[in-house]
């Protein structure tokens, strides 16, 4: 995982097919994030890397007087988002690279992202663009993963991979762990012109499997999305079968109370645009 070209193509397509399970996996985080994002009124919100749109939908639904725009590079994720948001006149989804996207006259006073800001090849330039786009004193609130070692869903699965296959890029490289290092993110935001950056560490259960057979549910999810899926796609049949058995046993070990839930650890990062 995962650069812009992959999100535009194969990875975006897979996520578009899996948005229900993705929203479920993030549910405990989403509640916390929305509380932080919507703790003050806003007139215009931009959801950066909105994916299938859950955060945009929640903001638009709860704030009918505000305009909400979700921007993403994946056509297929946006198709899912548009279908879900069809009943909300104050919500739009637009195809675009958030590091360059503009819409004349739209200067959001709230910029949010649930895990959509870690894929920019030049994050300082991207956040500098976003601060120029933002209204004076706009609020920024986004989530991103902390270190792989604190994220059992990643470290546990990566430990099962044959060496060299499928591991996500290390912290600092565009990918899910690009923003794991708080000091790096502070530097990026300050260099881009954002002020008052603050970090809240949130740990939550990443629900990967539920329903009649939570282990098989989690297994099929991880064989569709993330490091295990990427690695499995590169394996020969025999090696793949052994790997699937290892993942199944790992998930079985995390079955508790009718769910397979793995530890996830993120930053909730907030900052403000200059007062103007
Ligand atoms: C981990 S997913 C999160 C999606 C969504 N925010 C959610 O929480 O379900 C990352 C998203 O960022 C999008 N993305 C990656 N690079 C982008 C860019 N340069 N501009 C806009 N969106 C981007 C991807 O297409 C993907 O939808």
């Amino acid at each position: 995982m995962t650069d812009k070209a992959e999100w535009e193509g194969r990875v975006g397509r897979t996520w578009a097919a899996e948005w229900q399970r993705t929203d479920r996996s993030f549910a405990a985080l989403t509640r916390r994030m929305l509380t932080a994002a919507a703790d003050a009124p806003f007139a215009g919100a931009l959801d950066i890397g909105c994916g299938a749109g859950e955060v945009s939908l929640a903001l638009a639904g709860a704030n009918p007087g505000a305009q909400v725009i979700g921007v993403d590079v994946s056509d297929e994720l946006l198709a899912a988002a548009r279908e879900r948001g069809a009943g909300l006149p104050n919500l739009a989804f637009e195809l675009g690279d958030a590091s360059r996207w503009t819409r004349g006259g739209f200067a959001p006073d709230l910029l949010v992202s649930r895990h959509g800001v870690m894929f920019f090849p030049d994050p300082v330039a991207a956040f500098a663009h976003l601060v120029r786009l933002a209204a004076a004193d706009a609020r920024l609130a986004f989530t991103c993963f902390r270190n792989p070692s604190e994220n059992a869903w990643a470290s546990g699965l990566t430990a099962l991979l044959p060496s060299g296959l499928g591991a996500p890029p290390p912290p600092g490289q565009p990918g899910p762990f690009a923003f794991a290092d708080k000091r790096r993110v502070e530097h990026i935001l300050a260099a881009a012109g954002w002020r008052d950056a603050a970090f809240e560490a949130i740990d939550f259960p990443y629900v990967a499997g539920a329903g009649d057979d939570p282990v098989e549910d989690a297994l099929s999810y991880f064989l569709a999305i993330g490091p295990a899926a990427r690695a499995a796609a590169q394996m020969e049949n025999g090696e793949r079968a052994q790997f699937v058995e290892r993942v199944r046993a790992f998930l079985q070990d995390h079955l508790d109370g009718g769910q397979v839930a793995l530890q996830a650890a993120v930053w909730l990062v907030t900052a403000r645009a200059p007062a103007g």
Side-chain angles (χ1 to χ4, degrees), residues 15-106:
W15 276 64
E18 289 289 349
W19 66 259
Q20 287 97 336
R21 291 200 280 192
T22 300
D23 285 355
R24 180 185 69 186
S25 71
F26 279 126
L29 174 65
T30 307
R31 286 191 288 277
R32 299 276 297 269
M33 189 198 158
L34 286 170
T35 303
D39 72 346
F42 59 92
L46 177 67
D47 183 2
I48 303 157
C50 63
E54 187 181 28
V55 168
S56 305
L57 285 156
L59 290 174
N63 300 275
Q67 184 182 18
V68 178
I69 299 180
V71 173
D72 203 282
V73 293
S74 163
D75 254 333
E76 281 153 288
L77 276 164
L78 288 172
R82 289 189 183 113
E83 196 178 324
R84 298 172 77 189
L88 291 168
N90 61 329
L91 175 61
F93 290 105
E94 295 200 1
L95 182 67
D97 180 337
S99 67
R100 289 197 292 266
W101 176 90
T102 58
R103 189 212 259 189
F106 182 68

